[in-house]
Amino acid sequence: MKSEKFDVIIVGAGVSGLYMLYRLRELGISARVIEMASDVGGTWYWNRYPGARCDTNTLEYSYSFDEELQQEWEWPERYPSQPEILAYLKHVADRFDLRPDISFNTRVDAATFDEASSHWRVSTDDGAELAARFLIMATGCLSEPNLPPIGGMDSFRGPIYHTARFPHEGVDFRGKRVGVIGTGSSGVQAIPVIAEQAAQLTVFQRSPQWSIPAQNRPADPELVAEIKADYAGFRARNRLQPGAQMSHMLPNDISAKAVAEEERQRIFEERWQEGGFAFYGSFNDITVDLESNAMAAEFVRAKIRQIVKDPAVAEALIPEYTIHCKRPVMDSGYFETYNRSNVLLVDINAAPIEAITPAGLRTREADYDFDIIVLATGFDAMTGALLKIDIRGRGGLTLREKWADGPVNYLGLQVPGFPNLFTITGPGSPSVLTNMMVAIEQHVEWVADCISYLEEHGQASIEATEEAQEAWVAHVNEVADQTLWTACHNWYQGDNIPGKPRVFMPLPGFPPYVEKCDAVVANGYEGFVLS
Ligand code: FAD
Ligand code: NAP
């Protein structure tokens, strides 16, 4: 592989990298994918913790680019489990014969733009150097694990597993004393399953969660047939939703304040029973109006008090921040788990963790003995995987320097000073605020069309302008400021990583974003310089 040259190098073989490769191949453009894992799948390769599952409906969390694929693939449940999604992505890789163009077990460590040849030089951990005109970062928004800065990790006598680096062979929790740190989506999914197996489970909670029951169930054959009868129409309607998904139940277009109390409770209850994201569509202003938001929060608060038998535990599980301010969490029996006699909740705000010890973990108030510790502590989201790579653009400017105060770019796709480098679902695009399958397909198609356009028009490079970047960053901030997402501690703003600049990274609203991307192309790649 030494000093090989390609038209395009793609980093990452998850949902994004696989489709990017497929799309470029269709256009007759040669591409090489570099993937540090031993197989395809990205998120679904790495996150093998018990209970790992998507919370987007299966019929929506799948590729739409191939009619036969979407007609033939059968999902057994309403929400796909990690093994099912991984099997699906492996099938896609095989079906379209993608593997020959992927280098597995290879990590990209550095990428430098060579101005003289207008090529990206990419170095990998096996000492190889590759060159390509275009470099596409399909490195994932949630792929760089967050290892909490807790002292003593190396001293622990048992194993410590991060949910995003779980052993492939699984972990046998039977008869074990287990400590779980973190109660985000991963923790909330893993905790009920671990509790069923372990002798004793202790959960260390920094922030309680507004979790909604997923209400997972076997796939409904009638619904599947109905959607598959007009899959294209279903996908098109999805793309018109702010989050590019419908959850099989469209949001109600009415304010929570516009209906009487009894009717409001009826609607909340109906949506709670439907489960998942449908709950947040109970009314059209839960995510933007504090009063309506408080009504939804009060409904969930009452549910938690109803489910959790010990009133003190119930109170400790109820968040104080606005509902939907963190990334929404969906569960299968999460709050019920705290009724089990083998489960203990520890509020680490009241008793902060001091250290991992050889025997387990010490908080300010007590010592706990464990056989296994699970870190469900999330990710250095959106920028973590990108900044881990030493990326150098024009004049040797590093991406780390350029983003020292937080990520800046144009359309979430390109950074001025870094010609021919694209980020799939980069910060500044809807990405993690959407059904990511849809966001990924839209980005991949935009980038592939752009490269194809450059080829057809004899252009060697494309680079976003500083002016376009400035206007775009201002736009993202303006849209974010109209939401309630900036009102709490969340990873959308990097709050989970000590020292990370506090910038709201994704852009709310998928349909207007797509319109903007299309308009940029229609106006001759407005905001970019082609040369
Ligand atoms: P990834 O799947 O993260 O793939 C990136 C790939 O790049 C990885 O394989 C990684 O190994 C590789 N890579 C990174 N850096 C390097 C490097 N330097 N060198 C070589 N390779 C590198 N989204 C939804 O829309 N709905 C959901 O319900 C949902 N559930 C999720 C559940 C979990 C547990 C997690 C973690 C995420 C979930 N997501 C969900 C988001 C999910 O990440 C996306 O849906 C999607 O899988 C992202 O695909 P990707 O290819 O862009 O990135
Ligand atoms: P997360 O949401 O960031 O949750 C991490 C948890 O660990 C939080 O409770 C956090 O507390 C806690 N934590 C972090 N650092 C800590 C420290 N130093 N000490 C103690 N506690 C600490 O991460 P995640 O659960 O892995 O989920 C990340 C994202 O992946 C989700 O938001 C979602 O987008 C995706 N995901 C989706 C699903 C799904 O159901 N489809 C499942 C898993 C993941 P704070 O909240 O106080 O920071």
Side-chain angles (χ1 to χ4, degrees), residues 43-44 47 49 51-56 61 79-80 85 142 146-150 162-164 181-189 204-209 214 277 321 326-331 348-349 353 375-381 432 436 489-492 495-498:
T43 290
W44 308 103
N47 290 265
Y49 59 85
R53 188 179 284 284
C54 202
D55 58 15
T56 306
Y61 193 82
Y79 302 104
I85 307 172
L142 295 159
N146 170 34
L147 294 176
I150 302 173
H162 191 285
T163 47
I181 303 175
T183 52
S185 298
S186 303
V188 164
Q189 284 186 332
F204 295 91
Q205 171 189 273
R206 185 163 77 180
S207 301
Q209 283 292 348
F277 283 101
Y321 55 86
K326 286 177 184 282
R327 198 282 195 180
V329 171
M330 317 298 161
D331 71 272
I348 58 171
N349 295 306
I353 295 175
L375 303 175
T377 46
F379 301 88
D380 183 353
V432 292
M436 289 202 67
H489 167 114
N490 61 41
W491 59 254
Y492 295 141
D495 292 327
N496 60 332
I497 305 293

Side-chain angles (χ1 to χ4, degrees), residues 207-218:
S207 301
Q209 283 292 348
W210 291 113
S211 185
I212 308 296
Q215 312 283 20
N216 189 30
R217 47 184 176 253

Side-chain angles (χ1 to χ4, degrees), residues 10 18-31 65-66 95-98 101 444-445 448-449 452 456:
I10 301 163
L18 291 178
Y19 184 38
M20 194 73 244
L21 173 61
Y22 170 84
R23 193 81 184 180
L24 290 171
R25 251 203 214 162
E26 292 289 287
L27 294 167
I29 297 168
S30 83
F65 68 81
D66 187 90
R95 183 178 183 120
F96 300 106
D97 195 26
L98 300 176
D101 289 330
V444 165
E445 287 160 17
D449 289 350
S452 173
E456 276 170 27

Side-chain angles (χ1 to χ4, degrees), residues 188-477:
V188 164
Q189 284 186 332
I191 286 162
V193 187
I194 298 175
E196 278 174 15
Q197 299 168 15
Q200 171 68 37
L201 170 65
T202 307
V203 177
F204 295 91
Q205 171 189 273
R206 185 163 77 180
S207 301
Q209 283 292 348
W210 291 113
S211 185
I212 308 296
Q215 312 283 20
N216 189 30
R217 47 184 176 253
D220 169 359
E222 271 177 38
L223 182 66
V224 173
E226 187 190 311
I227 288 172
K228 287 194 171 179
D230 176 24
Y231 222 143
F234 176 74
R235 302 282 195 185
R237 290 191 296 281
N238 258 344
R239 287 170 70 112
L240 295 176
Q241 295 302 313
Q245 61 182 326
M246 298 199 289
S247 307
H248 301 174
M249 206 183 210
L250 283 171
N252 285 320
D253 195 13
I254 186 169
S255 163
K257 295 182 284 188
V259 296
E261 173 63 12
E262 203 177 313
E263 177 63 356
R264 192 161 48 235
Q265 294 303 316
R266 187 194 67 74
I267 293 175
F268 278 141
E269 183 62 36
E270 180 186 49
R271 295 272 170 163
W272 178 270
Q273 295 306 335
E274 172 63 13
F277 283 101
F279 180 78
Y280 293 104
S282 300
F283 299 99
N284 65 8
D285 53 355
I286 290 175
T287 61
V288 288
D289 183 276
L290 276 175
E291 226 182 301
S292 299
N293 186 281
M295 290 169 178
E298 190 48 42
F299 179 87
V300 179
R301 198 174 284 124
K303 286 286 186 191
I304 298 173
R305 288 184 179 135
Q306 216 176 5
I307 297 168
V308 181
K309 292 193 183 124
D310 180 330
V313 176
E315 290 317 303
L317 287 165
I318 294 174
E320 281 173 6
Y321 55 86
T322 49
I323 191 165
H324 198 273
C325 183
K326 286 177 184 282
R327 198 282 195 180
V329 171
M330 317 298 161
D331 71 272
S332 297
Y334 175 65
F335 293 117
E336 290 81 350
T337 299
Y338 293 95
N339 292 331
R340 297 177 67 104
S341 58
N342 68 333
V343 176
L344 176 70
L345 179 70
V346 176
D347 175 358
I348 58 171
N349 295 306
I353 295 175
E354 287 189 336
I356 306 277
T357 61
L361 186 152
R362 181 183 316 125
T363 68
R364 197 166 61 196
E365 286 179 1
D367 275 290
Y368 300 85
D369 289 353
F370 296 126
D371 302 305
I372 300 171
I373 294 177
V374 175
L375 303 175
T377 46
F379 301 88
D380 183 353
M382 307 214 63
T383 55
L386 288 169
L387 293 179
K388 203 158 185 207
I389 303 170
D390 182 14
I391 300 176
R392 291 168 187 261
R394 238 181 243 295
L397 176 72
T398 67
L399 191 62
R400 290 172 191 152
E401 287 161 351
K402 175 87 182 174
W403 285 6
D405 296 327
V408 289
N409 61 23
Y410 180 39
L411 301 177
L413 280 162
Q414 256 220 348
V415 188
F418 298 79
N420 292 359
L421 177 110
F422 297 97
T423 49
I424 303 298
T425 64
S429 74
S431 59
V432 292
L433 298 179
T434 63
N435 168 359
M436 289 202 67
M437 275 281 177
V438 181
I440 287 168
E441 286 196 329
Q442 187 258 343
H443 259 193
V444 165
E445 287 160 17
W446 194 96
V447 171
D449 289 350
C450 172
I451 293 175
S452 173
Y453 176 93
L454 297 173
E455 302 282 270
E456 276 170 27
H457 292 78
Q459 303 280 15
S461 81
I462 180 166
E463 183 177 351
T465 66
E466 289 286 345
E467 298 73 43
Q469 169 203 288
E470 261 175 48
W472 188 250
V473 171
H475 171 67
V476 175
N477 290 334

